[in-house]
Amino acid sequence: MGDKAIRVRLGIMMFLQFFIWGAWYVTLGTYLSQTLNFDPAQIGRSYSAIPWGAVIAPFIVGMIADRFFAAQKVMAFLHLTGGVILMYASTVTDPSLMFWVLLVYAVCYNPTLGLANAISFGKLNDPEKQFPAIRVCGTVGWIVAGLLVGFMKVEAQHVPIQIAGGSSLLLGMLSLFLPDTPPKSLGHKVTVADVLGLETLKLMKNRSFAVFVSGSLLICIPLAFYYNFANMFLNDVGVVNAAGKMTLGQMSEFIFMIIMPFFFARLGVKKMLLLGMLCWVVRYVFFALGNAESMVWMFYGGILLHGICYDFFFVTGQIYVDNTAPKAIQAQAQGFIAFITYGVGMVIGANLSGEAVKYFTVEEIINWRAVWLFPAILSGVILLLFAAVFKEGETVGER
């Protein structure tokens, strides 16, 4: 198989990988609220299944997939299983059952994110130059999913979940035709410490790294408000085709990913992290103060800030970890940060966001201004603490 043919297959894989996620995840809250009449706390718990999957997923890849099976075969099995689960999820109406069904799905889906990267890196001749073009296909997939759901006007229906389920079944079948990627840890004993990246804990002796980890955990708590309730909020206040408009965030992410080196060279890690945090505060303030009549630009502004919010914090954080951790444990360190942020932080945030929205709901009317001011204040406090703990002139991300 030629190099170009391999890259085409990898691009299709990455497109579907994120098309699946973007098709159902963004609009889930709207569907659960408007159609199934879940209360906000139940919606928050349903969303918490996804980060719980991120907590459990490393054990599947690290202790099973990496040791016994080729990555593309594990990918096929997980997506085929996940597709069936999503189809079933589209028929579930009980809040408790919905959480458990989504948790099982999350355990299937989360490992495929790492597997998709592993398959790509394993077959590219020049990963540093070639992988960005493969990965951007995932961003395009997410955008197309949002535009499709918005165009079909099915945000409050079970259809997006079925679209994701069908796409997962398709990717499961296509995965069998991906390049062979043998288990990388065949014959080697993999421990729990390896999977969780516990060697990374030794880096906590470095004051800057400890502050970075703590700040990353804390900031992911208010972040969950956007991921879980933004689509529901925009639909509730009368924004037409909210799912389609929210894809502007991914378009912004794509643009800022391209120009990140310009800012990185001039601002450095610490200032970029702080700027990323600040933009989360501004985004929530925009949502709190905007309205669909005269101040709708604030909604668009909050969505477009996603590029800075995500790239300047998460991507910069990944670069920081790569610069800080010794080469022998760089992969473990990245896994540890993902566990702390996408796992622990988002689990706490998903449940807190649901309880907060429920608290600010009176007679089924949500006080969205109060809802968004809550994470804005929380993000602001975390930002100030993160900035204050560094001594004047102290740098972050330099060995």
Side-chain angles (χ1 to χ4, degrees):
M1 188 186 300
D3 182 58
K4 184 177 180 180
I6 290 176
R7 282 185 280 131
V8 169
R9 293 190 184 190
L10 294 177
I12 294 172
M13 172 196 70
M14 201 66 75
F15 176 92
L16 288 172
Q17 179 73 34
F18 285 90
F19 179 92
I20 294 166
W21 196 357
W24 74 275
Y25 183 78
V26 174
T27 60
L28 178 67
T30 300
Y31 166 62
L32 297 181
S33 172
Q34 295 186 13
T35 303
L36 300 187
N37 297 313
F38 284 18
D39 68 40
Q42 292 168 337
I43 295 172
R45 281 193 291 274
S46 296
Y47 268 110
S48 73
I50 312 307
W52 272 119
V55 172
I56 301 171
F59 292 92
I60 295 176
V61 176
M63 303 201 75
I64 300 176
D66 277 358
R67 297 179 64 188
F68 302 111
F69 304 102
Q72 79 278 4
K73 293 181 180 178
V74 179
M75 184 96 159
F77 173 80
L78 292 176
H79 272 301
L80 289 171
T81 305
V84 173
I85 294 170
L86 280 179
M87 288 299 186
Y88 175 65
S90 70
T91 69
V92 174
T93 58
D94 178 72
S96 298
L97 181 58
M98 181 65 81
F99 168 80
W100 290 109
V101 171
L102 291 180
L103 176 61
V104 176
Y105 173 71
V107 171
C108 290
Y109 180 81
N110 275 284
T112 64
L113 294 167
L115 289 169
N117 290 340
I119 293 170
S120 298
F121 281 117
K123 297 302 173 183
L124 295 176
N125 296 325
D126 191 350
E128 290 188 8
K129 293 182 178 179
Q130 295 173 328
F131 182 71
I134 302 297
R135 177 58 184 82
V136 80
C137 291
T139 302
V140 174
W142 186 292
I143 292 171
V144 171
L147 292 174
L148 176 64
V149 171
F151 175 77
M152 294 176 66
K153 299 181 180 179
V154 292
E155 292 178 55
Q157 300 178 26
H158 62 277
V159 176
I161 302 177
Q162 293 182 333
I163 292 174
S167 301
S168 184
L169 292 172
L170 175 61
L171 181 53
M173 291 183 285
L174 291 177
S175 294
L176 294 173
F177 300 95
L178 290 171
D180 183 43
T181 309
K184 63 182 181 181
S185 299
L186 186 65
H188 297 279
K189 183 178 180 180
V190 180
T191 67
V192 173
D194 293 332
V195 172
L196 295 180
L198 296 184
E199 281 290 313
T200 310
L201 291 177
K202 295 179 181 179
L203 296 177
M204 297 292 280
K205 297 177 182 178
N206 178 326
R207 182 176 178 275
S208 294
F209 188 82
V211 171
F212 166 73
V213 171
S214 302
S216 297
L217 171 63
L218 291 174
I219 200 64
C220 279
I221 296 173
L223 263 53
F225 280 76
Y226 176 79
Y227 291 123
N228 298 357
F229 288 100
N231 183 262
M232 176 179 164
F233 158 67
L234 293 172
N235 277 287
D236 202 25
V237 298
V239 175
V240 179
N241 187 13
K245 291 182 171 63
M246 287 183 69
T247 62
L248 292 171
Q250 277 64 48
M251 297 177 192
S252 168
E253 176 188 333
F254 174 74
I255 293 171
F256 277 99
M257 187 76 74
I258 294 174
I259 62 177
M260 260 192 73
F262 172 84
F263 289 98
F264 201 86
R266 288 158 178 78
L267 298 178
V269 174
K270 178 183 175 182
K271 289 181 180 178
M272 288 186 70
L273 290 172
L274 292 173
L275 182 57
M277 288 183 173
L278 177 61
C279 285
W280 281 100
V281 179
V282 175
R283 159 182 273 177
Y284 290 140
V285 171
F286 277 0
F287 282 176
L289 300 182
N291 61 70
E293 288 77 36
S294 59
M295 302 290 282
V296 70
W297 67 267
M298 285 192 168
F299 297 157
Y300 287 107
I303 294 170
L304 287 168
L305 279 172
H306 183 76
I308 302 178
C309 291
Y310 184 86
D311 292 343
F312 280 35
F313 186 78
F314 285 105
V315 178
T316 300
Q318 292 165 1
I319 294 172
Y320 164 69
V321 171
D322 190 66
N323 289 341
T324 304
K327 284 191 175 182
I329 62 169
Q330 280 180 345
Q332 284 192 28
Q334 294 289 357
F336 175 75
I337 292 301
F339 173 81
I340 289 294
T341 54
Y342 293 115
V344 178
M346 288 295 188
V347 166
I348 298 171
N351 286 284
L352 177 63
S353 64
E355 293 295 337
V357 175
K358 183 177 180 179
Y359 178 81
F360 291 117
T361 302
V362 179
E363 297 181 353
E364 299 186 358
I365 302 298
I366 301 174
N367 183 349
W368 284 112
R369 176 164 294 184
V371 167
W372 294 119
L373 285 177
F374 181 78
I377 294 171
L378 184 57
S379 300
V381 171
I382 295 169
L383 167 64
L384 293 175
L385 287 173
F386 188 83
V389 292
F390 289 102
K391 299 175 183 177
E392 185 176 354
E394 184 178 11
T395 59
V396 183
E398 296 180 4
R399 300 189 196 189

